[in-house]
């Protein structure tokens, strides 16, 4: 029986709501048990789920329980950042087989005293992983970010050959998780500059990206593609994974197409499986029963799929 942890994120955001809704729709799953970290204020959301509920005050107490697929173990606390750290440490110890994270605001992380910018930085620090890449799994297409939480003015300097190569191999790792027909398609690196630099007239970074890609024997990677046309529907079936040069270049088209109803994030490079919703806390609609649980449902299902056999 594998154990999957779910952290619900900011308690004044939509994380608790989408978690409860997703678990209501998914119900008990054979061979898996869920440990949900939540705040006391969200208790009512979890009252009518199709599980037998067990309430704990610590992860240690939760892990002492014999895992059952028809039971939902809820760890109740008041520090969402601690939940992520405690669950990640348990994954590193192999006490848990996977981690699904709800939306956690960067302001809350900073208020907790950490210097981390987000989940990715927290997990990289705890796992002592030098570089993690964010991958996004969608129904229509998939994306890996070559650079993520970085000011736009610093992107060009960060796109060094080792980062380009790392992003390519992270995308290849993501491709290995896809259905067979998708695994046969090449990767695609999206250029940094307008027109992918226009042969150096609009910036020379894309010339360097092309040089690096030409030296990588495998996996096959096209590009750099012209950014304003890269994500056209015709390319969705042509490439397996798009590698975006920077955060918004990849996530604007991904979220425009998939929204909150579909799509999940995966951390590439961790020694354990971590998936996440692909949206933020949406505090403006929290508590109004308006949040769509589709992304959380996808994140849970991808975590279960990727931990198959553990």
């Amino acid at each position: 029986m594998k154990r999957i942890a779910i952290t619900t994120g900011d308690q004044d955001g939509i994380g608790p709501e989408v978690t409860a809704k997703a678990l209501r729709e998914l119900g008990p799953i054979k061979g898996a048990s869920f440990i949900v970290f939540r705040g006391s204020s969200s208790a009512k959301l979890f009252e009518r789920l199709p599980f037998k509920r067990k309430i704990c005050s610590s992860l240690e107490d939760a892990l002492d329980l014999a895992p059952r697929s028809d039971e939902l173990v809820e760890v109740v606390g008041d520090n969402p950042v601690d939940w992520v750290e405690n669950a990640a440490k348990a994954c590193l110890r192999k006490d848990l087989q996977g981690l699904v994270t709800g939306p956690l605001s960067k302001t809350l992380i900073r208020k907790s005293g950490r210097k981390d910018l987000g989940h990715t930085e927290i997990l990289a620090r705890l796992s002592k992983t030098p570089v993690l890449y964010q991958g996004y799994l969608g129904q229509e297409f998939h994306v890996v970010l070559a650079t993520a939480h970085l000011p736009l003015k610093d992107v060009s300097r960060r796109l060094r050959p080792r980062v380009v190569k790392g992003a390519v191999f992270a995308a290849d790792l993501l491709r290995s998780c896809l259905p067979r027909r998708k695994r046969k398609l090449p990767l695609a690196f999206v250029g940094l500059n307008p027109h992918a630099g226009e042969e150096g007239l609009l910036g020379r970074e894309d010339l360097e990206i092309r040089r690096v890609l030409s030296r990588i024997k495998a996996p096959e990677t096209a590009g750099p593609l012209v950014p304003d046309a890269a994500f056209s529907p015709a390319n969705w079936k042509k490439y397996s994974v798009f590698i975006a040069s920077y955060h918004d270049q990849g996530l604007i088209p991904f979220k425009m197409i998939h929204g909150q109803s579909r799509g999940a994030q995966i951390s590439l490079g961790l020694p354990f499986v971590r998936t996440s919703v692909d949206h933020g806390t949406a505090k403006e609609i929290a508590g109004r029963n308006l949040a769509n649980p589709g992304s959380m449902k996808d994140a849970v299902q991808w975590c279960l799929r990727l931990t198959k056999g553990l």
Side-chain angles (χ1 to χ4, degrees):
M1 179 74 68
K2 60 185 173 187
R3 286 172 157 170
I4 304 298
I6 304 176
T7 59
T8 55
D10 288 33
Q11 293 306 286
D12 57 347
I14 63 171
E17 180 183 333
V18 297
T19 301
K21 286 180 174 178
L23 290 173
R24 183 178 295 115
E25 292 182 15
L26 290 169
I29 295 173
K30 184 178 180 181
S33 66
F34 297 110
I35 297 176
V36 174
F37 292 78
R38 65 166 179 83
S40 57
S41 62
S42 59
K44 288 187 177 181
L45 292 171
F46 293 84
E47 286 179 351
R48 297 183 180 180
L49 300 188
F51 296 87
K52 298 175 183 178
R53 299 170 65 205
K54 291 189 174 181
I55 313 297
C56 299
S57 59
S58 70
L59 177 57
E60 289 73 20
D61 291 341
L63 292 174
D64 284 340
L65 300 173
R68 292 173 52 118
S69 61
D70 62 342
E71 292 180 342
L72 182 67
V73 179
E74 300 166 41
V75 179
V76 180
D78 60 4
N79 193 323
V81 188
D82 284 349
W83 302 342
V84 174
E85 289 209 356
N86 292 338
K89 290 175 182 176
C91 287
L92 289 168
R93 297 193 304 267
K94 302 190 183 305
D95 292 333
L96 297 171
Q97 283 66 58
L99 170 61
V100 180
T101 58
L104 182 64
S105 66
K106 293 170 177 55
T107 53
L108 188 62
I109 295 172
R110 286 299 174 89
K111 286 180 180 178
S112 74
R114 276 85 165 180
K115 296 181 180 179
D116 309 294
L117 283 174
H119 280 110
T120 301
E121 291 77 15
I122 292 173
L123 299 173
R125 170 172 55 82
L126 293 176
S127 64
K128 296 181 173 56
T129 305
V131 180
L132 290 181
Y133 290 90
Q134 295 182 25
Y136 290 83
L137 294 152
Q139 182 173 323
E140 304 297 345
F141 58 87
H142 316 291
V143 174
V144 166
L145 305 182
T147 65
H149 297 144
L150 192 69
L152 195 56
K153 65 182 178 62
D154 296 333
V155 170
S156 177
R157 185 166 62 251
R158 182 67 64 86
L159 276 177
R160 297 306 187 201
R162 62 178 180 80
V163 172
V164 172
K165 291 178 184 177
V168 169
F169 285 103
D172 192 41
L173 178 61
L174 180 62
R175 177 168 60 177
S176 70
C177 305
L178 303 179
R180 182 175 299 177
R181 59 181 178 80
K182 277 285 188 180
R183 294 200 300 265
K184 295 179 179 179
L185 300 176
L187 308 173
F189 205 108
V190 183
L192 173 65
N193 296 297
H195 299 197
E198 195 75 56
E199 298 300 328
L201 294 175
L202 299 176
R204 302 192 62 81
E205 293 91 346
D206 294 286
L207 294 175
E208 177 66 9
I209 292 172
R210 182 178 301 163
R211 184 186 67 81
V212 174
L213 296 181
S214 69
R215 293 186 176 184
I216 298 176
K217 303 301 181 184
E220 181 186 359
T221 308
L225 303 186
V226 173
D228 62 10
F231 293 96
S232 63
N235 283 340
W236 297 352
K237 295 181 180 180
K238 187 176 180 181
Y239 302 110
S240 58
V241 180
F242 293 91
I243 306 165
S245 290
Y246 58 94
H247 185 278
D248 287 7
Q249 184 190 66
L251 292 191
I252 288 175
F254 186 88
K255 292 184 178 183
M256 285 288 290
I257 297 300
H258 299 99
Q260 288 188 14
S261 61
R262 294 173 295 174
Q265 183 193 156
I266 177 174
S267 294
L268 298 164
L270 279 176
F272 60 87
V273 174
R274 177 259 175 165
T275 61
S276 177
V277 295
D278 69 349
H279 58 75
T281 56
K283 295 185 180 184
E284 68 278 4
I285 64 168
R288 299 170 60 189
N289 196 32
L290 297 175
N292 190 316
S295 182
M296 175 58 81
K297 188 176 176 181
D298 277 2
V300 172
Q301 290 177 315
W302 271 107
C303 190
L304 292 170
R305 188 181 308 173
L306 295 170
T307 55
K308 186 177 180 180
L310 295 180

